[in-house]
Each structure stands twice: as structure tokens, then as C-alpha cells.
Amino acid sequence: RIRTLFSSISQGRGHVVLTDMDPTRKKEAQGVADRAVQRAQERQTERQKSRALCTSEEASKDIKTAGVGVRAAVAEATAKPRPPDQAEAFRQIFTSRYVDPVAGWWEIDANSDAQLGFGEFTAACRRLGLEGGLSQAFAKLSQGRGHITLLDVNAKWTQQYATIQKESARRRQALSAVRDRLRTSCAAMSVILAGKPPQ
């Protein structure tokens, strides 16, 4: 019976994925795939715009340098740049990239617990194109709590944060149910493979 159940759930693929256990997730999985394609297209457009912008910025920098004089240009070139405020940069990039903060949060919250630990935060920063100063940014955003929530990105997103918390609880419950089913299936399979009759 278990083999029949497994083959019907896995649809002959030889493995089971979460959407097989919870069919309501198929639409959400397709939506995630569609958003990923759209983001890839947007990134390509941004890269093209960035290349054009770099060329115009370099030209304006040359004009500025010529107007200011050699000493000023040398002083400007040798001055130490101020380190960027990565916490504020994270907030701005997240807000501008994700029109829907809830959907954006699910893309960076790897374990769906409604909060980002340091590892998830650094992965999200790299995904958003931020590097350097991430420890300080995390400390500033988390305010010593050891995690970041959507409210740390924008304190006005209370409704969106409540939605994320509810969905996180639902996801944890669904994952727990899947784990229980898999434990039961694995135990039954081991009995069958051992040659003992099921009880």
C-alpha cells in the first residue's frame, strides 16, 4: 500500500516535493517562478541602464575635474570615502525592489519563520547587491535582538507583518504535518523492506 501511495503522490518521479503533499501550493510555486523570471528581466534592464549611467557619470566627472583644477581633483581622488550606511541601503533597496513587501519578505526569509537571522540577512544583502559592513547593518537593524523583522525594514508595515506572522505559523504547521506523514511512511517502508508484515 505504501509503495502505491508513494508512486501516486510522486507521480512516477521517484521523489516527493512539498507541492505534492499540499496541492494548494502549486499556484503559489508557479507564481514564485513567474516572479523570478520577471525579476531576471528587470535586473537585465537595470544592468543596461546602469552601463549607460556609468558612461554619463564618467563624462560629468571628467568635466568637473577639469573645472576644479588638478589639486582639487587629486585631493578628491585620495580622500577616504565615507562608508555607506548599509542598514539604510538595505531598507531603500528592499522597499524599491519589492512593491509587495510580503512577497519580497518570503523571497529572503529562507526558513519562513517571519524573521531574518544573520545568515539569512547576509544572503539577502548579497542578493540585493550589498556587500561590506553587513555586521554593523545587522546590529543596527536588529537592535540587539539577534534577528530582523519586516518592521525593522519599515515600521509602518504592521499589517504586512501580521500577514507574515500568520502565514509563517501556517507554513510551520503544514511542514510539521508533512514531516509526520514522512515519518509514518518511512517507518512503514522499513517494516516492508525488512520483510515483516505490516501491523
Side-chain angles (χ1 to χ4, degrees):
R1 282 192 233 147
I2 292 177
R3 286 183 185 162
T4 305
L5 175 65
F6 180 80
S7 73
S8 70
I9 291 174
S10 68
Q11 301 171 355
R13 290 188 315 264
H15 65 277
V16 177
V17 294
L18 182 59
T19 55
D20 293 333
M21 302 302 276
D22 186 2
T24 61
R25 307 289 292 208
K26 286 185 180 182
K27 287 183 182 177
E28 182 177 297
Q30 183 60 44
V32 168
D34 292 343
R35 286 191 302 274
V37 168
Q38 182 182 4
R39 276 193 316 281
Q41 292 170 342
E42 290 171 353
R43 285 187 195 121
Q44 182 65 26
T45 304
E46 287 176 11
R47 283 188 203 114
Q48 290 170 347
K49 288 179 183 177
S50 176
R51 287 184 193 128
L53 182 61
C54 286
T55 306
S56 66
E57 285 179 353
E58 289 170 2
S60 69
K61 190 182 259 185
D62 290 343
I63 292 168
K64 182 179 178 183
T65 301
V68 171
V70 175
R71 275 197 186 142
V74 169
E76 185 178 318
T78 58
K80 290 184 179 180
R82 286 180 47 199
D85 182 357
Q86 295 294 61
E88 191 56 39
F90 178 82
R91 286 181 176 126
Q92 289 175 357
I93 292 172
F94 183 89
T95 302
S96 66
R97 179 162 297 172
Y98 300 111
V99 176
D100 178 7
V102 174
W105 188 261
W106 290 128
E107 287 187 31
I108 63 174
D109 186 3
N111 61 3
S112 299
D113 65 351
Q115 55 191 353
L116 300 182
F118 183 69
E120 290 173 302
F121 175 72
T122 56
C125 286
R126 288 190 182 102
R127 185 177 190 168
L128 297 172
L130 296 173
E131 292 191 21
L134 301 183
S135 297
Q136 296 87 346
F138 182 79
K140 183 176 180 180
L141 288 168
S142 68
Q143 302 169 9
R145 291 188 318 268
H147 65 271
I148 295 170
T149 67
L150 186 66
L151 294 177
D152 295 316
V153 178
N154 187 330
K156 295 178 182 178
W157 287 340
T158 54
Q159 285 183 316
Q160 292 88 339
Y161 180 61
T163 300
I164 287 172
Q165 286 184 310
K166 288 176 188 173
E167 178 64 14
S168 176
R170 190 196 69 75
R171 287 182 182 193
R172 282 194 308 269
Q173 188 176 22
L175 185 58
S176 178
V178 168
R179 283 184 187 141
D180 290 344
R181 287 184 209 158
L182 287 175
R183 276 192 207 109
T184 303
S185 297
C186 289
M189 283 184 176
S190 66
V191 168
I192 290 171
L193 293 174
K196 297 177 184 176
Q199 297 184 14

